[in-house]
Amino acid sequence: MSLQTELETIKDNGLRQIEAATDQKELNQIKVQLLGKKGSITQTLRGIAKLPVEERPTAGSLANQIRDELTTALETKLSALETASLNQKLAAEKIDVTLPGDQIPFGHPHVIQKIIDEIEDIFIGMGYQVLSGPEVEEEHYNFEMMNLPKDHPARDMQDTFYITKEILMRTHTSPMQARALETHDFSQGPLKMISPGVVFRRDTDDPTHSHQFHQVEGIVIDKHITMADLKGTLTAMTHALFGDKFQVRLRPSYFPFTEPSVEADITCMNCGGKGCAVCKGSGWIEVLGAGMVHPNVLKMAGVNPHEYGGFAFGVGPDRFAMLKYGVNDIRDFYLNNLKFLTQFD
Ligand code: FA5
């Protein structure tokens, strides 16, 4: 067989093999067989040296032409195989974006925090500032500055967790009254402040008492503030939280840091005021303590009680949450039972 015929045969067989190749690995093997160092084209090219001199240029140029044709055919096939494999991969990895995704559970504010947020919004709307204070408090602020000197019998009203003799877990948010009074600059206007937070008492837990619960303290100090302002403010808060049907009733009470002192009841949610087991037949539920700030509290904080006066109150948002959502046991709020807590989402 002449060299030319040999080259044509290699080309025809090579093109057929290239065409029939089904994957890149196979194509690579064909490439090596045809164009590699020991490949058929290379071997044949070696034979050129044995040809008569005048035949060598024609044979050499044919060999180069065939090598180029095979190289082009290999590249074209390689690109076709790559496209086919990419299409196959895309088809296999296709996702249906219309399918519903996996539900990722999200956290949400605790129900008591929601009530506190609502109370904050109401008072911010009435021009109050919101302050927060230490839960680990000095006895000085928790008691002394609230007109409860050492050995005052009213200290027994709030059983206390002591850390040291002078440091305790605050039993109420009222120390924030003293802290705000001390720092407020009355030349800039009246003091109108609320302070929400956690408080701690050595109370025995029962359906309406927890040893750790929340309070929102409120205080307004200016000239000419009266008890009517207190009642109006508490009524505005109650209407905003529960609706206009709910009334506020003030009953005389005693707190060492207010004079006069009151406890405020609101219309029982459960019976609408008719009287039921929840309100023990009275039609009212006690939700907060309040009163006109005692002159001693003002004096100790450096405020002249002859010039300034006002009211203060301490709300229990845990009790509000119980009323609002018909929860009969305060302890449910603290058990971290997600089935219970997620119903307030
Ligand atoms: C006080 O703590 C006063 N500092 C409130 C106050 C502030 C009076 C400013 C005057 C001026 P009392 O102990 O009554 O008061 O608590 C206030 C409210 O906290 C109660 O009305 C009730 O809603 C809530 N509360 C009291 N003890 C508990 C408890 N163990 N568990 C849950 N809520 C409670």
Side-chain angles (χ1 to χ4, degrees), residues 234-249 265-274 283-284:
L234 296 178
T235 305
M237 175 188 71
T238 305
H239 286 176
L241 272 178
F242 301 111
D244 290 353
K245 279 193 301 206
F246 292 85
Q247 303 293 316
V248 175
R249 175 177 87 165
D265 302 333
I266 62 172
T267 315
C268 175
M269 305 263 142
N270 197 46
C271 60
K274 290 192 198 84
W284 297 94

Side-chain angles (χ1 to χ4, degrees), residues 111 114-115 118 269 320-327 333 344:
V111 55
K114 279 191 186 174
I115 297 269
E118 279 180 54
M269 305 263 142
F320 274 5
M322 290 174 76
L323 289 173
K324 186 160 184 172
Y325 297 109
V327 173
F333 293 128
F344 307 107

Side-chain angles (χ1 to χ4, degrees), residues 172 174 201 203 210 213 215 217 255 286-288 314 319:
H172 52 176
S174 295
R201 288 187 197 173
D203 276 350
S210 172
F213 57 99
Q215 285 190 340
E217 196 72 15
F255 296 103
E286 182 224 310
V287 286
L288 60 92
R319 299 256 171 95

Side-chain angles (χ1 to χ4, degrees), residues 146 157-158 171-175 177 199 201 203-205 208-218 255 257-258 261-264 286-293 311-320 330 334:
M146 298 318 294
M157 286 165 77
Q158 300 175 357
T171 55
H172 52 176
T173 43
S174 295
Q177 288 184 33
V199 301
R201 288 187 197 173
D203 276 350
T204 306
D205 289 1
T208 52
H209 291 85
S210 172
H211 61 280
Q212 176 185 324
F213 57 99
H214 297 78
Q215 285 190 340
V216 181
E217 196 72 15
F255 296 103
F257 31 92
T258 44
S261 301
V262 291
E263 270 174 328
E286 182 224 310
V287 286
L288 60 92
M292 301 308 286
V293 176
F311 62 78
F313 56 85
V315 182
D318 302 55
R319 299 256 171 95
F320 274 5
I330 195 170
Y334 296 103

